[in-house]
Amino acid sequence: MFDTRPNREAEVILVGRSNVGKSTLMRELTGHSFDTGGSPGVTRSPNHYDWAPEDFVITDLPGFGFMSGVHEERREEIKTNIVQYIEEYADNVLVAVLVVDGKSVIDIIDRHSGPDEIPYDVEMFHFLRELEIPTVVAVNKMDKVDDRDERLNELCDRLGILPPWKQWQETIAPITAKNGQISSLNEAVREHLHEQNRDDLFKFF
């Protein structure tokens, strides 16, 4: 299921829990609709979108974490597959976009924080950074958030980076994908592409 990757050198990946809006964001970035069901966990294998003349692919990885109606073993298997995929292609990934739901992310992180538990979102953020993959946290559904700055500062705190969030504009990108409001994400991604001398890919962001 995870061996469908087109033979492309450069890659940008979207990763995150189920139902945070990754597929909607993928549609905004590519102009191409992917099969997204109303229920979580519809994307079970990666969606790749590549442009024929370009040595570049955007990949929407399956959602991880709790999915109603999906057995825990299956959830763990999906998560393992995602981790293995990222490890295998880490050298090719120019930027990872970790998509979170701005409205619920703090509650979810806090609910899963215990002495033996690292919440998936926090764990994924540090995993990507350990692999030295430039990472942007796309904080989606911000149209539903009232206390915007406060919420983004709290997210920085949970991720282990010092608030205020505004000093992390290449890392924290508030967006509302379904309204097409993703300019802060595009700017953050371009920043990382530029650092890797890939301004040629700006046209996609």
Side-chain angles (χ1 to χ4, degrees):
M1 270 172 80
F2 272 58
D3 54 9
T4 52
R5 186 182 188 274
N7 184 19
R8 295 284 185 265
E9 190 63 31
E11 184 169 14
V12 167
I13 60 171
L14 273 53
V15 64
R17 286 177 179 277
S18 299
N19 267 14
V20 293
K22 291 194 310 303
S23 301
T24 307
L25 177 57
M26 184 78 164
R27 189 172 64 236
E28 275 299 316
L29 290 170
T30 63
H32 182 82
S33 271
F34 293 86
D35 181 30
T36 62
S39 59
V42 170
T43 312
R44 296 288 173 85
S45 54
N47 279 320
H48 302 283
Y49 192 77
D50 63 337
W51 289 260
E54 303 285 344
D55 192 16
F56 172 63
V57 61
I58 293 185
T59 299
D60 174 21
L61 288 165
F64 55 76
F66 176 76
M67 291 168 255
S68 59
V70 181
H71 200 272
E72 188 175 352
E73 277 177 24
R74 178 78 189 109
R75 295 202 301 260
E76 283 303 316
E77 185 189 334
I78 292 171
K79 187 174 164 225
T80 302
N81 287 342
I82 294 167
V83 165
Q84 287 173 345
Y85 181 96
I86 295 171
E87 284 178 331
E88 184 172 348
Y89 296 109
D91 291 346
N92 303 90
V93 178
L94 300 172
V95 185
V97 179
L98 173 59
V99 187
V100 300
D101 181 333
K103 196 165 162 46
S104 62
V105 64
I106 303 298
D107 294 339
I108 289 173
I109 288 175
D110 288 353
R111 199 163 61 231
H112 292 278
S113 294
D116 307 317
E117 279 191 307
I118 303 173
Y120 279 161
D121 305 278
V122 176
E123 185 181 34
M124 184 59 71
F125 180 71
H126 290 290
F127 170 67
L128 292 164
R129 287 172 59 129
E130 275 162 28
L131 290 174
E132 298 183 358
I133 296 173
T135 302
V136 179
V137 181
V139 192
N140 196 18
K141 309 185 186 181
M142 287 303 287
D143 57 322
K144 297 180 178 160
V145 174
D146 301 328
D147 48 351
R148 187 186 167 95
D149 286 343
E150 190 181 326
R151 182 67 51 92
L152 294 168
N153 287 342
E154 285 181 351
L155 179 58
C156 285
D157 179 61
R158 302 307 190 273
L159 293 173
I161 57 180
L162 276 174
W165 75 273
K166 286 193 168 149
Q167 64 182 341
W168 300 102
Q169 303 222 8
E170 76 292 352
T171 304
I172 303 286
I175 63 168
T176 301
K178 74 170 171 25
N179 298 346
Q181 295 171 346
I182 60 168
S183 58
S184 61
L185 172 64
N186 286 336
E187 284 167 29
V189 169
R190 285 180 170 204
E191 188 83 27
H192 293 298
L193 292 173
H194 178 68
E195 283 166 10
Q196 297 170 81
N197 300 314
R198 292 307 303 262
D199 292 17
D200 58 303
L201 298 176
F202 277 16
K203 60 188 171 203
F204 300 116
F205 296 97

